[in-house]
């Protein structure tokens, strides 16, 4: 009986942290509307985070000085968690869909470089709000209410 008990304790000590970590994931969506001077952005965000990687997909429209463009890109990143809610993220790939015709120069005026270039870092704050929603914010952005997908 003691030997069996020791095996169970050993198994739990070795594998339980990785088992609980493997089940970590965030998969949620948010809508964002920004009015800033003569610019309007209406976009949907899809946040996906797994063990140590993530994707933020942005799809929407940007209107600047009367010209409307399409935003459609996915930002792939690695991250590490600092503290309880801070995710230090670094892009390794930014993919624009063919219909994304928003110039990066305009995006960079209203988004961190994280959304336009690889090897850029961004501190993302994520707080679980309930069983199926999160509050997400970046350094220079408002809070996103992100409902589970």
């Amino acid at each position: 009986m003691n030997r069996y008990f020791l095996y169970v304790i050993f198994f739990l000590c070795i594998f339980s942290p990785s088992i609980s970590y493997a089940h970590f994931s965030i998969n949620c969506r948010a809508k964002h509307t920004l009015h800033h001077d003569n610019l309007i952005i209406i976009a949907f965000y899809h946040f996906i985070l797994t063990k140590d990687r993530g994707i933020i997909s942005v799809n929407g429209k940007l209107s600047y000085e009367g010209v409307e463009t399409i935003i459609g890109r996915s930002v792939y990143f690695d991250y590490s968690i600092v503290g309880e809610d801070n995710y230090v993220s670094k892009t390794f790939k930014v993919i624009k869909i063919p219909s994304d015709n928003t110039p990066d120069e305009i995006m960079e005026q209203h988004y961190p470089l994280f959304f336009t270039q690889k090897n850029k870092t961004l501190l993302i704050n994520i707080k679980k709000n309930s069983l199926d929603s999160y509050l997400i914010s970046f350094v220079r952005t408002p809070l996103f209410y992100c409902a589970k997908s």
Side-chain angles (χ1 to χ4, degrees):
M1 179 72 163
N2 284 341
R3 179 179 261 176
Y4 175 75
F5 181 73
L6 289 173
Y7 285 130
V8 170
I9 295 298
F10 176 76
F11 177 82
L12 289 174
C13 289
I14 296 299
F15 294 107
S16 67
S18 61
I19 289 171
S20 64
Y21 197 51
H23 290 298
F24 169 80
S25 69
I26 293 174
N27 186 345
C28 63
R29 296 177 190 270
K31 182 180 179 184
H32 174 234
T33 302
L34 172 69
H35 294 268
H36 185 248
D37 294 331
N38 53 359
L39 175 122
I40 299 171
I41 297 172
I42 299 172
F44 292 89
Y45 296 76
H46 188 181
F47 297 87
I48 301 172
L49 283 85
T50 57
K51 183 178 172 186
D52 55 1
R53 289 215 160 161
I55 304 169
I56 300 175
S57 296
V58 184
N59 294 287
K61 294 181 180 180
L62 182 146
S63 178
Y64 180 66
E65 297 181 346
V67 177
E68 192 170 278
T69 60
I70 300 215
I71 302 171
R73 58 187 68 202
S74 294
V75 179
Y76 293 78
F77 58 94
D78 295 313
Y79 70 86
S80 60
I81 300 173
V82 177
E84 197 171 315
D85 303 322
N86 295 309
Y87 293 68
V88 178
S89 308
K90 184 175 184 179
T91 57
F92 62 86
K93 182 174 18 173
V94 177
I95 298 177
K96 293 172 68 168
I97 63 172
S99 61
D100 184 327
N101 61 348
T102 301
D104 285 343
E105 298 78 29
I106 294 175
M107 285 287 290
E108 290 168 359
Q109 292 174 16
H110 303 282
Y111 285 87
L113 294 177
F114 181 87
F115 287 91
T116 59
Q117 300 175 22
K118 68 179 188 175
N119 296 320
K120 296 298 178 183
T121 58
L122 180 67
L123 180 64
I124 303 172
N125 184 272
I126 302 174
K127 292 184 186 203
K128 191 164 184 124
N129 188 44
S130 66
L131 289 176
D132 61 353
S133 65
Y134 300 87
L135 297 174
I136 300 175
S137 64
F138 310 136
V139 174
R140 297 182 296 168
T141 64
L143 209 57
F144 291 94
Y145 176 80
C146 194
K148 186 175 181 179
S149 292

